Amino acid sequence: MSQVLTLAKSPQLSKNQNPFLQEFIKQIRLSDTFSKYRTWSNESLVNQLIISHNKEAISSKNLNFHPLNQLVTNAFYNAIGETIKNITGHSTNTFVHLRNKEFSSAVITCGGVLVLYTLIWGYKSLHFPSLQELIESAETNIHNAVSKASLYLDFV
């Protein structure tokens, strides 16, 4: 009798299964007003926020001026804002201020209530070790923002 060992693959996340990733990709595509990245796959664009062991470390100075990094950073926070809007039913405003200095910031309001404020230290904090951690970070921000909004706004 021979036994066959099979290695289970680590679970892959499908963009069709995660509403935040769907919104994130939508926001990336909407932000690409000059269609500079239209030939890039969705996976390639999302992977710009994933740090792999194969990637070389890039200085934050270079990232500050890289248009793709600015595009995905804006899209990340815009996707969070849109998700909050969909959950609460109240309009949101998302402001992402990217600077070439050490830190930048992102602010989201929902129905006039400040629900998210975060500092982005030299863009370094907007890189994630895995797709799962990117999703978890976004979902944590969304949950916290919706909790804050619920203190002041009525929604189901």
Side-chain angles (χ1 to χ4, degrees):
M1 228 181 219
S2 67
Q3 293 181 344
V4 176
L5 293 175
T6 59
L7 296 175
K9 287 185 176 180
S10 60
Q12 296 283 327
L13 293 174
S14 169
K15 288 170 192 52
N16 298 328
Q17 295 174 345
N18 187 278
F20 174 76
L21 279 182
Q22 289 176 340
E23 186 62 41
F24 181 44
I25 291 166
K26 177 182 166 187
Q27 291 299 321
I28 290 173
R29 297 295 180 193
L30 288 173
S31 298
D32 186 17
T33 55
F34 295 109
S35 299
K36 187 173 181 180
Y37 304 104
R38 69 182 151 92
T39 60
W40 287 43
S41 70
N42 292 340
E43 292 79 17
S44 296
L45 291 168
V46 170
N47 282 337
Q48 296 305 304
L49 294 180
I50 307 300
I51 298 172
S52 71
H53 296 291
N54 299 335
K55 287 185 181 179
E56 281 185 34
I58 300 173
S59 73
S60 61
K61 182 178 179 183
N62 291 336
L63 286 173
N64 285 331
F65 295 105
H66 195 276
L68 180 56
N69 191 271
Q70 292 177 1
L71 183 132
V72 295
T73 300
N74 278 306
F76 179 79
Y77 288 106
N78 285 330
I80 289 173
E82 282 298 309
T83 304
I84 293 166
K85 176 183 169 186
N86 293 337
I87 292 170
T88 64
H90 290 273
S91 64
T92 58
N93 292 308
T94 303
F95 304 97
V96 181
H97 182 68
L98 303 176
R99 299 179 47 166
N100 59 359
K101 299 287 182 186
E102 289 186 26
F103 66 90
S104 298
S105 61
V107 174
I108 299 176
T109 63
C110 176
V113 176
L114 176 64
V115 294
L116 184 128
Y117 174 76
T118 187
L119 290 177
I120 308 166
W121 295 97
Y123 289 76
K124 290 180 184 177
S125 67
L126 200 62
H127 285 92
F128 304 92
S130 68
L131 184 61
Q132 180 64 36
E133 289 195 32
L134 180 147
I135 292 168
E136 288 173 4
S137 174
E139 288 176 348
T140 298
N141 282 317
I142 292 164
H143 173 75
N144 292 340
V146 169
S147 294
K148 288 177 188 173
S150 71
L151 297 173
Y152 301 97
L153 304 171
D154 292 324
F155 56 91
V156 177

